[in-house]
Amino acid sequence: MSDTGWADISAPYLRPRRPGDPDAWTAEAAAHGHVGTNELRGVEKVRPPQAVADALRLGPEDTAIVRRRLVLLDGRPTELADSYYPLGIAGGTRLAEARKIPGGAVTLLAELGYRPRKVEERVAARPSTEPEQAALDLGPQDWVLVLTRVSRTSAGTPYEVSVMTMVADGRELRYEMTIGKET
């Protein structure tokens, strides 16, 4: 259980990695006897979707850096992950470069002084779109789960919004919460 009062399958993805440690997905997959990898599909400066812009508190003309990844398990696509960062945070850093980041973005963000204090996740299910079907090897009848995560500092500043579109088949999300204090 984390010191925030909740634990879930996302918690390891919010912690910086030690030098030389693999990213959280690689480590999780290996712990279950699999190979987890990410393919960087692109890094660009964009005007994010309105919901992401709102979550990042961006104005109408503000842009963000988006890192787009295809997440694979044993070579099979399982997720499309798009992570958005305000240009003021990501600009001029490795977040804005089209290459992998040792230890993942969460490690670099911690080095830059951005550590999560409050994290909000929302999960929705919906039919897959044609581009998602092509990228994730899904049929037109297949649904996806979309997990949107907003990470904020202790001062409440949002610094990352990740939108993860997952193959729904076989996926389980688990959350735990502690209510009140132990006596």
Side-chain angles (χ1 to χ4, degrees):
M1 189 72 59
S2 72
D3 61 354
T4 59
W6 60 270
D8 69 83
I9 60 172
S10 299
Y13 295 86
L14 300 169
R15 292 187 200 108
R17 311 300 285 179
R18 294 186 305 246
D21 281 356
D23 63 81
W25 172 238
T26 300
E28 180 184 352
H32 295 286
H34 297 281
V35 176
T37 57
N38 288 279
E39 290 180 4
L40 190 59
R41 298 178 345 152
V43 177
E44 56 190 313
K45 185 168 91 170
V46 299
R47 172 67 186 148
Q50 192 60 51
V52 172
D54 290 347
L56 288 173
R57 300 181 189 153
L58 298 179
E61 303 301 318
D62 293 333
T63 57
I65 297 294
V66 61
R67 296 182 62 83
R68 299 183 194 280
R69 300 168 317 282
L70 175 65
V71 180
L72 302 137
L73 180 64
D74 297 331
R76 292 189 51 106
T78 63
E79 180 177 312
L80 295 169
D82 294 348
S83 296
Y84 296 86
Y85 310 93
L87 188 60
I89 292 172
T93 73
R94 287 179 285 172
L95 290 168
E97 298 174 6
R99 62 183 174 127
K100 287 191 174 190
I101 299 171
V106 68
T107 300
L108 176 59
L109 285 161
E111 291 170 8
L112 296 172
Y114 295 92
R115 292 180 176 266
R117 177 65 178 134
K118 182 178 180 188
V119 177
E120 175 187 337
E121 291 186 347
R122 187 182 72 231
V123 181
R126 62 167 172 72
S128 59
T129 65
E130 287 185 18
E132 292 163 351
Q133 292 163 18
L136 297 172
D137 195 24
L138 296 173
Q141 75 286 353
D142 291 323
W143 282 52
V144 292
L145 294 178
V146 180
L147 187 149
T148 303
R149 177 186 302 140
V150 180
S151 298
R152 294 181 180 86
T153 65
S154 58
T157 304
Y159 63 88
E160 178 182 41
V161 173
S162 292
V163 180
M164 295 155 275
T165 304
M166 307 173 207
V167 173
D169 186 39
R171 185 66 61 129
E172 175 183 312
L173 302 177
R174 179 181 50 85
Y175 294 87
E176 295 177 12
M177 183 182 309
T178 301
I179 307 297
K181 296 186 180 214
E182 293 184 27
T183 56

